[in-house]
Amino acid sequence: MTESSTYDVVGVGLGPFNLSLAALADPLDGLSARFLESKPEWSWHPGLLLDDAMLQVPFLADLVTLADPTSEWSFLNYLRAHDRMYAFYFGERMHVLRREYDDYCRWVSERLPSCTFGASVTSVRWDGAFEVEFVTADGTERVRAKNVVLGVGTQPVLPESFAPVVGRGVFHSGEYLHRQAELAGAGDVTVVGSGQSGAEIFLDLLRQLPAGRQLRWLTQAPAFAPMEYSKLGLEHFTPAYTRYFRGLAEPVRDRLVPEQWQLYKAISAETIAAIYDLLYERSVGGASSQATLLPNVSVVASRRSGNGVELRCHQPDQDEELVVRTDAVVLATGYSARQPDFLDAGLLDLDDAGRYRVDADYRVATAPHVTGALYVQNAELHTHGVGTPDLGLGAHRAAVILNAIAGTTRYRLPEQTAFTTFGVPSSTDQLQEAARVAARTR
């Protein structure tokens, strides 16, 4: 066992959000930081890095720019370091390939001295400071921290109705590129789930669909719907909306999140168009369709049947059941936040549903004896709303956390981030608006 001095902050997990925190912490004098990741090197959803898959946010939603556009860890500086600035300039792209974003993050992670890969955290407990124990190839180590930030990511959701069949030929979409070989000989493949990943996988399978084989796309959502991407709609992904959402009563927040599925669980209009165009091209000459699209259908049970799978489904509007027989299933059924096993349960003060209580600075409520601060990233959907998993708010959240840790403003953050007034205007809002109007009319 080796032990080092106490850090101001230790981050557990290195996905985009804790990598953003590491990048923004890097230039801050007087702040010591260490970030630990169990994987041997940077990796971000490798099973979904399809060649033409695009990031759903503009390149400005990189690790740092929306908090510090002068940072050396920006996407534009990554392009400059690789002599690709002019190519990007003439390409006139606001959105970049997901593979390119992954490569950018790898470039950052390999150059930040605070990032340690191949370090699997086994326990986090409190003893006058946080004690973080982890295992590397060299053995067990322990560091102490005044503050800990959990960025352990989310885990794949595998619906209970698929529990009897998960295995050969039935797997989560996050494994798609690694398990494509299991689909190669299937005469009938079903994709379940109509978020962006489900749409991209359906499109990829449709493009390579051999003659005589069948492809099915099934979702319990009411439609294969486009992501809300209007300019005012996007203001739900601003600190202004996060602030409004946090102020709502818990039952209201719990109701709103599933109602807002088109803000964060739907499909880009470009992907929908590509799917439709390909279906249209395949219909030329009266060719019979090899693809079936079934919205508003939920899978209530499943079982193995011969060499394939039998899915018992329900259509609620007609209140009818149908049985789908297929050879393979890709479950594009999303991800959910998780509380890591290594975290001492005695540290936490959870809500009645067993979830983190998270304040405006992303600090988790802890037991009274814990005087250090425990923060979370991408585990606060229930308290902070639909912007929680959005990359566009990652740099802002990291800056908020760093300001809280420092106890002062190390990153100046904007006061106004939306034209929309969410909720009933306060008297302060009305006075500020009156002052702006008066200034414009002078």
Side-chain angles (χ1 to χ4, degrees):
M1 174 79 71
T2 60
E3 187 167 335
S4 69
S5 58
T6 301
Y7 289 92
D8 291 310
V9 58
V10 168
V12 182
L14 269 169
F17 296 133
N18 258 2
L19 185 59
S20 172
L21 190 76
L24 289 171
D26 181 56
L28 300 184
D29 294 334
L31 183 80
S32 58
R34 183 90 180 268
F35 293 84
L36 307 170
E37 168 57 49
S38 60
K39 295 192 291 289
E41 60 184 3
W42 170 264
S43 178
W44 183 64
H45 296 302
L48 286 169
L49 294 181
L50 295 154
D51 287 343
D52 58 352
M54 303 294 290
L55 212 61
Q56 289 183 277
V57 291
F59 73 91
L60 292 173
D62 63 11
L63 299 171
V64 293
T65 295
L66 289 175
D68 179 13
T70 68
S71 172
E72 67 174 296
W73 305 115
S74 70
F75 179 77
L76 288 179
N77 200 40
Y78 155 80
L79 292 174
R80 180 177 178 273
H82 291 80
D83 293 333
R84 297 179 61 233
M85 186 71 84
Y86 275 94
F88 184 76
Y89 168 52
F90 292 127
E92 297 184 337
R93 292 187 176 194
M94 280 295 288
H95 294 75
V96 300
L97 291 167
R98 206 177 291 163
R99 291 187 296 111
E100 187 173 22
Y101 177 80
D102 178 66
D103 191 63
Y104 153 66
C105 289
R106 181 175 296 104
W107 174 77
V108 175
S109 71
E110 292 172 349
R111 285 158 180 78
L112 283 173
S114 61
C115 294
T116 303
F117 289 90
S120 181
V121 172
T122 55
S123 73
V124 175
R125 55 184 178 269
W126 178 259
D127 182 17
F130 288 106
E131 288 191 348
V132 181
E133 191 173 286
F134 59 98
V135 177
T136 70
D138 297 323
T140 300
E141 300 182 43
R142 181 187 297 148
V143 295
R144 291 172 66 83
K146 299 175 185 177
N147 306 275
V148 168
V149 183
L150 298 177
V152 296
T154 52
Q155 62 188 359
V157 172
L158 296 171
E160 187 62 31
S161 56
F162 287 94
V165 297
V166 169
R168 176 181 49 83
V170 181
F171 52 84
H172 192 268
S173 58
E175 301 179 88
Y176 176 65
L177 289 179
H178 305 315
R179 298 181 64 174
Q180 274 185 305
E182 297 179 34
L183 308 179
D188 187 296
V189 177
T190 298
V191 178
V192 177
S194 58
Q196 183 66 19
S197 295
E200 289 172 353
I201 289 171
F202 179 80
L203 177 59
D204 188 60
L205 290 170
L206 186 62
R207 283 171 172 160
Q208 54 185 299
L209 189 64
R213 295 192 179 177
Q214 296 294 315
L215 180 61
R216 185 180 300 98
W217 192 10
L218 187 154
T219 179
Q220 65 180 1
F224 297 101
M227 188 82 74
E228 166 55 73
Y229 210 75
S230 66
K231 289 178 170 60
L232 289 177
L234 288 174
E235 290 197 336
H236 286 84
F237 301 96
T238 59
Y241 182 75
T242 299
R243 191 162 49 246
Y244 161 75
F245 186 88
R246 276 204 71 255
L248 299 173
E250 183 177 297
V252 177
R253 295 198 303 253
D254 289 345
R255 172 180 59 80
L256 273 179
V257 169
E259 289 179 357
Q260 294 174 329
W261 63 276
Q262 268 188 270
L263 287 170
Y264 71 113
K265 285 188 173 182
I267 312 164
S268 73
E270 293 78 9
T271 305
I272 289 177
I275 290 170
Y276 188 90
D277 289 347
L278 188 52
L279 291 170
Y280 177 80
E281 291 163 12
R282 297 280 176 87
S283 71
V284 172
S288 60
S289 176
Q290 294 175 254
T292 303
L293 283 67
L294 290 171
N296 202 26
V297 170
S298 58
V299 177
V300 296
S302 63
R303 68 182 185 93
R304 292 278 176 179
S305 178
N307 293 325
V309 175
E310 185 177 283
L311 308 178
R312 186 162 60 83
C313 307
H314 180 250
Q315 211 282 6
D317 291 346
Q318 296 172 305
D319 193 23
E320 288 192 20
E321 290 195 352
L322 65 151
V323 174
V324 170
R325 293 177 177 84
T326 186
D327 298 324
V329 181
V330 181
L331 296 168
T333 43
Y335 296 81
S336 64
R338 60 191 176 97
Q339 290 178 17
D341 294 336
F342 59 70
L343 191 62
D344 180 0
L347 296 178
L348 302 174
D349 177 19
L350 302 175
D351 69 13
D352 292 340
R355 304 172 298 190
Y356 297 127
R357 303 180 194 270
V358 188
D359 72 9
D361 292 332
Y362 302 94
R363 181 174 178 170
V364 174
T366 53
H369 70 282
V370 179
T371 56
L374 178 68
Y375 299 88
V376 289
Q377 301 215 66
N378 197 14
E380 70 281 3
L381 182 67
H382 59 292
T383 58
H384 286 64
V386 294
T388 294
D390 190 76
L391 294 175
L393 279 172
H396 182 276
R397 175 172 50 202
V400 169
I401 292 172
L402 287 170
N403 286 347
I405 289 171
T408 187
T409 301
R410 304 300 296 268
Y411 285 101
R412 186 185 69 82
L413 298 172
E415 293 183 8
Q416 183 175 347
T417 56
F419 291 113
T420 304
T421 298
F422 295 103
V424 177
S426 67
S427 57
T428 302
D429 293 332
Q430 292 168 339
L431 287 172
Q432 289 175 343
E433 179 59 26
R436 285 194 290 267
V437 171
R440 289 197 299 267
T441 57
R442 287 194 188 107

